[in-house]
Amino acid sequence: MIVSKDCVVTFHYVLKTDKGDIIEDSSNGEPIAILWGHKNMIQGVENALEGKQAGEKFSTTVTPQDGYGEYLDEAIQRVPAKHLQGSDKWKPGMVAVVNTEQGQRQVTVLKVGKFMVTVDTNHPLAGHILNFDIDVVSVREAEESEISHGHAHGAGGHQH
């Protein structure tokens, strides 16, 4: 079976920077499982998986437009320290959680003042070219419940 709409794909991946530094490597755990065509993964990886089948290994480069977006300077904001969740004492480089109108969001702390904190709301990989080495483990038809829920179930996917 080849990867196409409404199928579940399981795969391992190694994510590297443009310089070749490894950011993530899934090979030491369960393969990730996604319901293909339902935006469960960044667009560049979904696009690269299309038409592949179990046993295929390949590499793909993902631009910011098909990854985590361009880095936006306007995404730097000052927020009251009391709105940050995850620690009692904040330092630059730490990741915090804030509640927004769109739900919880991770932010990176840039500067800490007495009452206000400067945070970066960009995804940490925004603006970066990403290189993936992908090993397709399996491809199967999705179950009706997976399609109706919009995600893969079971190991590597969403657990109910």
Side-chain angles (χ1 to χ4, degrees):
M1 179 172 198
I2 64 168
V3 176
S4 59
K5 179 98 167 120
D6 294 338
C7 71
V8 174
V9 184
T10 62
F11 61 96
H12 281 291
Y13 68 92
V14 176
L15 168 58
K16 296 183 268 187
T17 65
D18 217 21
K19 295 179 183 175
D21 298 325
I22 295 175
I23 298 170
E24 292 179 8
D25 184 346
S26 73
S27 62
N28 292 329
E30 290 287 328
I32 188 170
I34 65 166
L35 177 60
W36 194 89
H38 290 257
K39 300 183 189 275
N40 293 164
M41 177 60 76
I42 59 173
Q43 193 63 50
V45 171
E46 275 211 7
N47 291 347
L49 283 166
E50 183 174 18
K52 301 294 192 268
Q53 56 189 359
E56 285 194 58
K57 294 181 182 185
F58 64 96
S59 297
T60 189
T61 297
V62 177
T63 63
Q65 296 87 344
D66 287 334
Y68 294 100
E70 295 293 343
Y71 185 88
L72 303 173
D73 290 331
E74 59 269 22
I76 308 273
Q77 300 176 0
R78 290 187 46 81
V79 297
K82 66 182 180 181
H83 291 283
L84 301 181
Q85 300 172 15
S87 180
D88 293 329
K89 185 166 175 126
W90 295 102
K91 295 180 182 174
M94 293 177 75
V95 176
V97 173
V98 294
N99 289 317
T100 71
E101 292 175 0
Q102 293 80 31
Q104 288 192 332
R105 182 172 192 151
Q106 287 187 333
V107 298
T108 303
V109 174
L110 299 177
K111 183 178 177 186
V112 180
K114 188 171 184 175
F115 300 107
M116 299 294 284
V117 177
T118 304
V119 298
D120 184 350
T121 64
N122 284 293
H123 187 281
L125 296 176
H128 291 272
I129 293 174
L130 307 172
N131 296 290
F132 286 86
D133 295 329
I134 297 175
D135 178 4
V136 180
V137 176
S138 68
V139 181
R140 66 170 173 80
E141 288 185 27
E143 298 171 9
E144 283 301 317
S145 63
E146 291 172 314
I147 295 170
S148 67
H149 292 166
H151 57 255
H153 294 164
H158 190 82
Q159 307 293 328
H160 282 276

